[in-house]
């Protein structure tokens, strides 16, 4: 019997790509709230009255897109929010993104995926991006930049804990915002 007949070739299908839009959404929400918390909390304790929504739209979202996300992707392959949801953003070969490529991705997400965070535009761009992601199992910016968006296994307990963390940070931001609002009443 020849050796070629006795050898068997095992054909494996490519790994199933997990399409979980809510994980992407909540990871981004966590990053936004986390950065707002880092900015707003110290300012409010210093007596600077800051509205969470103004800070979020004028400072935080552009900051995340231009500095925070690209920095995290190039160093760690993930952001704090994506880490909590077991998500990595890597090159197709598994290496971390360069800072330049990570910046290109983040700007495309901010513009094409979030419509500069402008109220009506963001609803349209989110819907279009969601439909594209559902159909193609990747976003247009990840396809254009040859990026692999990996969603790992995540347990139900981790999901619950992560959502509790998001809720608690949001609640504390609201509490701090209300403290500064009533500070002038208390001090007279």
């Amino acid at each position: 019997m020849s050796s070629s007949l006795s050898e068997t070739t095992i054909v494996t299908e490519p790994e199933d790509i997990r399409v979980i839009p809510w994980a992407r959404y909540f990871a981004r929400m966590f990053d936004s709230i986390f950065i707002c918390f880092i900015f707003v909390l110290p300012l409010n304790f210093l007596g600077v009255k800051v509205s969470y929504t103004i800070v979020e739209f004028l400072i935080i979202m552009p900051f995340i897109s231009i500095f925070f996300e690209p920095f995290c992707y190039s160093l760690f392959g993930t952001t704090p929010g994506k880490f909590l949801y077991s998500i990595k953003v890597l090159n197709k070969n598994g290496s971390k993104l360069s800072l330049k490529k990570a910046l290109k991705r983040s700007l495309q997400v901010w513009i094409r995926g979030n419509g500069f965070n402008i109220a009506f535009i963001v609803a349209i761009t989110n819907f279009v991006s969601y439909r594209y992601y559902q159909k193609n199992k990747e976003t247009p910016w990840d396809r254009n930049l040859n990026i692999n968006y990996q969603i790992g296994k995540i347990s139900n307990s981790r999901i619950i804990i992560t959502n509790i963390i998001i809720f608690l940070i949001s609640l504390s931001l609201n509490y701090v915002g209300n403290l500064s609002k009533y500070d002038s009443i208390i001090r007279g």
Side-chain angles (χ1 to χ4, degrees):
M1 189 175 224
S2 81
S3 63
S4 63
L5 291 176
S6 63
E7 293 176 5
T8 42
T9 307
I10 300 172
V11 179
T12 57
E13 293 295 318
E15 187 177 325
D16 185 34
I17 299 171
R18 298 181 70 202
V19 179
I20 308 174
W22 63 263
R24 296 174 74 110
Y25 176 79
F26 283 116
R28 181 162 301 282
M29 180 189 292
F30 177 87
D31 290 335
S32 299
I33 291 169
F34 178 71
I35 295 297
C36 278
F37 185 76
I38 290 172
F39 272 97
V40 172
L41 189 65
L43 290 174
N44 277 304
F45 280 121
L46 292 173
V48 178
K49 310 294 188 254
V50 180
S51 168
Y52 167 71
T53 54
I54 291 172
V55 169
E56 179 185 12
F57 289 107
L58 297 180
I59 299 171
I60 301 304
M61 296 314 290
F63 175 81
I64 286 173
S65 298
I66 297 168
F67 300 107
F68 179 72
E69 268 189 353
F71 176 78
C72 288
Y73 291 151
S74 63
L75 283 181
F76 310 113
T78 191
T79 63
K82 287 176 178 57
F83 171 78
L84 291 172
Y85 285 99
S86 296
I87 297 170
K88 288 198 168 258
V89 178
L90 304 168
N91 288 305
K92 293 282 185 185
N93 67 5
S95 65
K96 293 177 188 144
L97 305 181
S98 68
L99 190 57
K100 183 178 177 180
K101 190 172 189 177
L103 178 60
K104 283 181 183 179
R105 181 189 188 276
S106 294
L107 288 174
Q108 284 190 32
V109 170
W110 188 47
I111 296 165
R112 295 175 71 183
N114 291 324
F116 296 99
N117 246 21
I118 298 170
F120 295 108
I121 296 172
V122 74
I124 295 166
T125 57
N126 277 188
F127 178 75
V128 170
S129 298
Y130 170 78
R131 300 289 295 170
Y132 186 94
Y133 179 64
Q134 287 292 98
K135 180 180 178 186
N136 299 296
K137 297 187 178 186
E138 67 182 340
T139 59
W141 45 88
D142 288 340
R143 177 174 279 176
N144 290 345
L145 294 170
N146 204 25
I147 292 174
N148 189 11
Y149 192 98
Q150 303 170 350
I151 302 175
K153 293 185 180 190
I154 183 167
S155 67
N156 288 337
S157 59
R158 187 169 179 172
I159 292 169
I160 291 168
I161 290 169
T162 300
N163 289 336
I164 289 171
I165 291 169
I166 291 172
F167 175 74
L168 291 175
I169 292 175
S170 298
L171 192 64
S172 64
L173 272 172
N174 188 38
Y175 177 73
V176 168
N178 285 335
L179 275 180
S180 64
K181 191 185 311 181
Y182 298 115
D183 189 44
S184 60
I185 296 171
I186 295 169
R187 292 187 183 181

